[in-house]
Amino acid sequence: MDTTIILNQKNLTQITDRIPNLDYDRNNIKPGMVHIGVGGFHRSHQAFYTHELMNKYNAPEWGICGVGLREGDRKIHDVLKKQDGLYTLIVKHPDGKIAPSIIGSICDFLLGVDNPMLVIERMADPATKILSLTITEGGYNFKPSTGEFDFENPDIQHDLKYPDNPKTVYGYLTAALKKRREAKLPAFTIMSCDNIQHNGDMARKMLLSFAKEQDASLAGWIEKEVCFPNSMVDRITPVTTQSDIDYLAKTYGIKDEWPVTCEPFIQWVIEDNFSDGRPELEKVGVQFVPDVKPYEKMKLRLLNAGHSVLGLLGALHGHKTINACMEDKTFVTYLRTFMDKEATPVLDEVKGIDLKDYKDSLEARFANPNIKDSVSRICSESSAKLPKFLIATLEENLTAGKSIEFATLVIAAWCYYSDKQSDKNGQPLEIIDAMSNELHMAAAQTASDPLAFIKQESLFGDLVKNQRFSDLYTIMVQKIYRDANIKKYMQEMI
Ligand code: CS2
């Protein structure tokens, strides 16, 4: 392309000739939703669905105001501000087809670290009907082993002391809800879009724990007035790379500083439980159901756990991406056997879904050669993910006297990874995890105490006391420490 066009509102008409574009007037959009955590997933999922609704139906009152609470959110804030909230979503199909489009549903962006009051006022504005969250599994501030709110977090202590100058999501939510209550406005819905089982119930429990400590009467109001729908969200969204940015510039002549790439598959199943109205997302394929729990469990225990199985074992073997794992027969068989033998037996029946078809479709999605989802993304924050995705399955199988070996090998591999921080060939592997120090320190004691890693109570509770698990774990961890040839041990099991 001879000329490069910078992606922004002013240039939209010119861009239309190059990339499929919006069919609605962005000047009329009002932010009916405030979203905390504008990462790639929010932009490939909720913001995409909302954009589709705006494009095909008239829904200007459901624009999204993005919010970042931390300094780390400054980059996305700055990029989206420069681009007037616009970005490119690049859908990568398994057959090589690449379909970019411009997404326009994000109409504003506020950064809490710069001006907390502005964020609180926006949340408390009568136009805001929904407060949505993708704050990651680790962002809910619960202790993994007990599920209770972690009051020891210094930022939480800060927010209890300084309610008008909060740092955490809970400080912001209570400050905004307090304003709404005083102004006699209806409460907004708190819509969690994170990969946590019963994500709405979890958000509710955590917020109420915090609010009770801060202002008991406000907590009572929240309990009565705020709805917290549970939901299952799904779309594989790898980390954006420089080559995605270059691709847009080279092929389409569009300068977008932070596009998002994703797979074609998308799903959102959510409970129809809203405090102050909702967008008619069913028109664009979102499923509203009375009880989302069986869907959540199926997705977390098959897709997310399946990812962790491939990610941790793959990293140790030296595979760089999830699709590289799926090109390796041993990994494919191991994954399927884990899903069939350990994950499926503890799932509930999901109406209208054939689990065999679901697992087949997961294999096809993981194998998409164009997605190139890095194992490092999957392994990141394992301490927040594995208790929900994998250890929960292991515990249920222990209680039922069923197979635990496929999950146990993954935990032993996680220990080796955390200790050595390298793969079987000595290539470095980084631990990207809020608990990286703790993980490393516990794992590093394995040589003298093989059970050291699983003694971490905040992750494993008292699982170490279970003889069957700790015996099996000891055998597996010792094997991996003798010779990190993980594929050999996987082959022995399948
Ligand atoms: C992944 C998820 O973070 C992970 O480990 O399993 O991000 C996964 O790609 C999404 O939940 C897909 O919907």
Side-chain angles (χ1 to χ4, degrees), residues 41 137 195 233-237 263 299 303-305 307-308 365 373 377-380 385 389:
F41 180 73
E137 298 78 27
N195 285 316
V233 292
D234 195 3
R235 187 169 225 185
I236 295 175
T237 309
E263 61 171 343
K299 193 249 167 174
L303 186 149
N304 297 108
H307 254 166
S308 297
R365 290 169 62 195
D373 199 6
R377 179 184 86 84
I378 300 301
C379 296
S380 70
K385 294 174 182 173
F389 299 173

Side-chain angles (χ1 to χ4, degrees), residues 156-177:
I156 293 292
Q157 287 301 327
H158 169 278
D159 284 7
L160 286 171
K161 242 188 174 157
Y162 305 105
D164 294 332
N165 189 20
K167 288 185 176 177
T168 74
V169 64
Y170 299 110
Y172 277 94
L173 291 177
T174 48
L177 287 165

Side-chain angles (χ1 to χ4, degrees), residues 437-483:
N437 283 339
E438 292 92 324
L439 291 170
H440 175 65
M441 294 210 325
Q445 291 169 42
T446 305
S448 56
D449 174 6
L451 298 177
F453 192 69
I454 60 165
K455 280 185 182 162
Q456 297 177 92
E457 222 193 311
S458 68
L459 300 176
F460 296 98
D462 60 2
L463 261 186
V464 67
K465 294 193 191 129
N466 185 296
Q467 201 65 36
R468 190 174 149 227
F469 170 59
S470 56
D471 285 352
L472 184 64
Y473 174 81
T474 305
I475 296 170
M476 289 183 166
V477 87
Q478 285 175 339
K479 274 187 187 174
I480 299 179
Y481 270 71
R482 263 199 306 273
D483 156 10

